[in-house]
Amino acid sequence: MLVGDALHHKDSIAARGITDAFIQSQLLADRVGEDLRDPAALDAALRRYARDVDDKFTDFFRSTLNVAELQVPESRLSLLRAISGNQALTDRYFATLSGACSIDDFYNAELLETLANV
Ligand SMILES: Cc1cc2nc3c(=O)[nH]c(=O)nc-3n(C[C@H](O)[C@H](O)[C@H](O)COP(=O)(O)OP(=O)(O)OC[C@H]3O[C@@H](n4cnc5c(N)ncnc54)[C@H](O)[C@@H]3O)c2cc1C
């Protein structure tokens, strides 16, 4: 069962390879748990892990493909312009890109208010 860079390709600009490797390693360890020596339970745990990583990382893989197109949509440009003068929002933007901050934490009330006033 694969984790980290072996699991899926990503663009280095995302700067989230280490975060992903830790999250996936933790997921795998959590799923396998005590079942390491029971072949049937291990098989089931590995299938659950495969579903977990599909659920959690398919969107990130798609965003890698979007980045590779080297075309920035107008909606992203508007967002970047809106946060460019705000250090806290800029920090959270890069923390979100790296996986250290969740999307829900990024799109908080402060950001929504900033976007509404653009
Ligand atoms: C220049 C650079 C800058 C980066 N900057 C960032 C960053 O700022 N933030 C970030 O999150 N990520 C960054 N990354 C990506 C990050 O380093 C990787 O995504 C992360 O290290 C992947 O971890 P991993 O455990 O999957 O693989 P690796 O860290 O590559 O570990 C794999 C290990 O397996 C060993 N190995 C390989 N083949 C065998 C074998 N046959 N037998 C035994 N051992 C073997 C290797 O020697 C290596 O130690 C950067 C990568 C590079 C190259």
Side-chain angles (χ1 to χ4, degrees):
M1 197 48 62
L2 300 176
V3 298
D5 282 0
L7 181 65
H8 71 80
H9 180 75
K10 54 181 71 82
D11 193 296
S12 54
I13 199 170
R16 55 174 303 138
I18 297 170
T19 311
D20 285 358
F22 277 128
I23 292 172
Q24 291 152 5
S25 303
Q26 187 65 59
L27 268 178
L28 183 58
D30 290 346
R31 281 306 190 192
V32 170
E34 306 283 312
D35 295 335
L36 200 54
R37 289 176 189 80
D38 176 342
L42 178 60
D43 198 42
L46 294 180
R47 277 200 300 273
R48 284 197 304 271
Y49 168 73
R51 280 198 301 273
D52 285 348
V53 290
D54 277 353
D55 287 349
K56 284 184 185 292
F57 292 94
T58 300
D59 283 349
F60 294 130
F61 181 61
R62 288 207 181 100
S63 72
T64 295
L65 299 179
N66 290 339
V67 169
E69 286 179 359
L70 298 179
Q71 288 177 354
V72 185
E74 187 52 43
S75 56
R76 176 63 61 97
L77 284 176
S78 303
L79 170 74
L80 294 175
R81 286 190 195 105
I83 66 172
S84 63
N86 183 321
Q87 191 62 51
L89 287 176
T90 303
D91 290 348
R92 274 221 320 280
Y93 173 79
F94 284 108
T96 305
L97 281 190
S98 74
C101 173
S102 75
I103 287 279
D104 289 343
D105 287 339
F106 176 58
Y107 280 96
N108 66 7
E110 183 189 9
L111 176 60
L112 295 178
E113 191 183 322
T114 302
L115 292 175
N117 293 324
V118 171

